[in-house]
Amino acid sequence: MTAEDDGLFALPQADDAPPGPPEAATESPRADAPLAVRMRPRSLAEVVGQAHLLRPGAPLRRLAEGGEAASVLLYGPPGTGKTTLARLMAAVAARQFVALSALTSGVKELRDVMNGARRRRDGQGRRTVLFIDEVHRFSKTQQDALLGAVEDGLVLLVAATTENPSFSVVSPLLSRLLVLQLQPLDEDDVRELLRRAVKDERGLDGAVCVTPEAEDVLVRLAAGDARSAMTALEASADGVTGTGGTVVDVPAVERAVAETTVRYDRQGDQHHDVVSAFIKSVRGSDPDAALHYLARMLVAGEDPRFIARRLVVHASEDVGLADPTALQAAVAAAQTVQLIGMPEARLALAQATVHLAMAPKSNSVITGIDEAMSDVRAGAVGEIPAHLRHSRYTGARELGNGIGYRYPHRVPEGVLAQQYPPGDLVEKDYYRPTRHGGERDLHERLTRLRRVVRGEER
């Protein structure tokens, strides 16, 4: 649904349409509009949350109050007030408000808006506020089409996105915008909005009451999303009043809301954030947090093969030989995903997650191979010692290949003094085991092995 369709904005249908009064863009929605639409704040005084952006003198507050401000990009999760704040900007006198959705608009629509803004500025002296919802869905060409208008102030752009703008907005446009990050509403904010919606004549007008326990459930289900809170409340109230009741209790909420929607976009910012939190929780040895993030990925429909691959990588990257069974557990989970699939494979993924989270940690494997590769790239590729070179071809012995090689199994200990690396790397230690878990014993063994191989111990 676009901004023009949902009753939020009263937009002129032609550029030469007479401007309405300042409140035209915030006129009351229809009585049959969704509760979330009916309860949208009509002034800054009604806005709940985002205090860090709306304090006196803050750029967003100045813009909403009619002061001059830079074009802005509102970045935050759904239901945090991006569209509401843009709607309030439409009420500022002497400004023309135009709303576009990146889902339905293209370069042609942008060009029409710019032409109208130019006529409005030159003929009427009026500023145009252009609100673009879901701006991250614009292509690079469409985003580039905004550059000139924003640069010379032809429009005051207010763009909104749920995606990290560093990933989804082209750099030239991003550099021209003041990026303001909106935060999820806290529980008190959501609670205030629910109570207001129950009592306000625009909302449920006292037709129902909500028990404290049901209110707690609604707050939890909202997860900081005001729109979700309003939607769940409306569905719960409809279910109660439809049967002649007046009390919204926990069973009523449970009947109306089968399952909370997990905020997770497999191609977007939330995907990266949840995966990052998952791996860092495993690395940080917190199995409870790791299971939480695993559950978020699974409930949101993440490909279990992707999760399994991350666990396999983590097993060597962050556990390594501190627990040699960690890689086996991760590989077994990946094989289970392939052989059995979901939902049963969730058990193997959870088992591997807990195993890796509780395992002693060591990054010695990754630091060792990365240092070795760095040296090779830097040119540390000296001559292979002659006694290690391949000698099973005609003429090899004449070249000195294999001569002097000592076979370790000919001594009782199975290890003997012999040069293996190129000459300039003889004393280079790439693998440095920690004192964690299984690497404690490996540290002692490797110290002895190095002394013997390097001829420091007989």
Side-chain angles (χ1 to χ4, degrees), residues 181-246:
Q181 184 173 7
L182 280 68
Q183 301 294 335
L185 304 185
D186 63 30
E187 291 190 355
D188 290 339
D189 293 335
V190 175
R191 203 176 301 276
E192 179 180 341
L193 292 174
L194 288 169
R195 294 175 179 175
R196 182 189 300 174
V198 169
K199 297 178 180 178
D200 198 291
E201 62 181 10
R202 293 177 295 154
L204 302 180
D205 197 18
V208 298
C209 63
V210 181
T211 66
E213 296 78 12
E215 185 179 87
D216 289 341
V217 173
L218 289 169
V219 170
R220 177 176 60 82
L221 290 173
D225 184 331
R227 187 183 298 108
S228 291
M230 295 294 103
T231 301
L233 172 62
E234 185 172 30
S236 303
D238 285 347
V240 168
T241 57
T243 57
T246 59

Side-chain angles (χ1 to χ4, degrees), residues 362-365 367-368 371 428-435 439 443 446 450:
S362 170
N363 68 346
S364 297
V365 170
T367 56
E371 284 185 24
K428 181 71 175 184
D429 297 342
Y430 287 115
Y431 177 56
R432 298 182 293 275
T434 67
R435 302 299 179 94
E439 281 196 327
H443 184 278
L446 181 58
R450 281 175 174 156

Side-chain angles (χ1 to χ4, degrees), residues 66-114:
E68 291 300 319
S71 291
V72 298
L73 189 148
L74 304 179
Y75 156 48
T80 52
K82 299 185 294 296
T83 304
T84 290
L85 292 168
R87 176 176 177 253
L88 293 176
M89 296 172 196
V92 177
R95 283 182 182 163
Q96 180 69 31
F97 189 83
V98 180
L100 293 178
S101 171
L103 293 171
T104 57
S105 304
V107 174
K108 179 183 181 301
E109 287 78 11
L110 283 174
R111 189 179 297 112
D112 291 342
V113 169
M114 301 312 171

Side-chain angles (χ1 to χ4, degrees), residues 5-159:
D5 295 330
D6 69 359
L8 297 183
F9 306 106
L11 300 180
Q13 298 303 307
D15 287 327
D16 56 354
E23 64 274 10
T26 56
E27 64 182 19
S28 299
R30 298 180 316 197
D32 60 352
L35 179 63
V37 174
R38 303 199 307 271
M39 290 305 301
R40 280 218 172 104
R42 296 165 295 187
S43 67
L44 283 178
E46 293 185 359
V47 173
V48 174
Q50 314 310 331
H52 63 297
L53 298 179
L54 294 174
R55 65 182 184 276
L60 188 57
R61 188 176 192 92
R62 293 202 309 271
L63 179 60
E65 291 178 340
E68 291 300 319
S71 291
V72 298
L73 189 148
L74 304 179
Y75 156 48
T80 52
K82 299 185 294 296
T83 304
T84 290
L85 292 168
R87 176 176 177 253
L88 293 176
M89 296 172 196
V92 177
R95 283 182 182 163
Q96 180 69 31
F97 189 83
V98 180
L100 293 178
S101 171
L103 293 171
T104 57
S105 304
V107 174
K108 179 183 181 301
E109 287 78 11
L110 283 174
R111 189 179 297 112
D112 291 342
V113 169
M114 301 312 171
N115 290 337
R118 189 171 290 103
R119 289 195 297 272
R120 204 173 293 118
R121 180 194 63 184
D122 297 342
Q124 304 173 18
R126 299 175 64 212
R127 191 84 179 269
T128 297
V129 175
L130 172 59
F131 174 65
I132 299 180
D133 199 15
E134 305 287 345
V135 70
H136 62 273
R137 296 187 181 273
F138 265 168
S139 67
K140 180 180 184 299
T141 300
Q142 291 168 314
Q143 293 185 33
D144 286 343
L146 293 166
L147 296 177
V150 173
E151 180 73 25
D152 64 13
L154 177 61
V155 297
L156 188 61
L157 176 64
V158 180

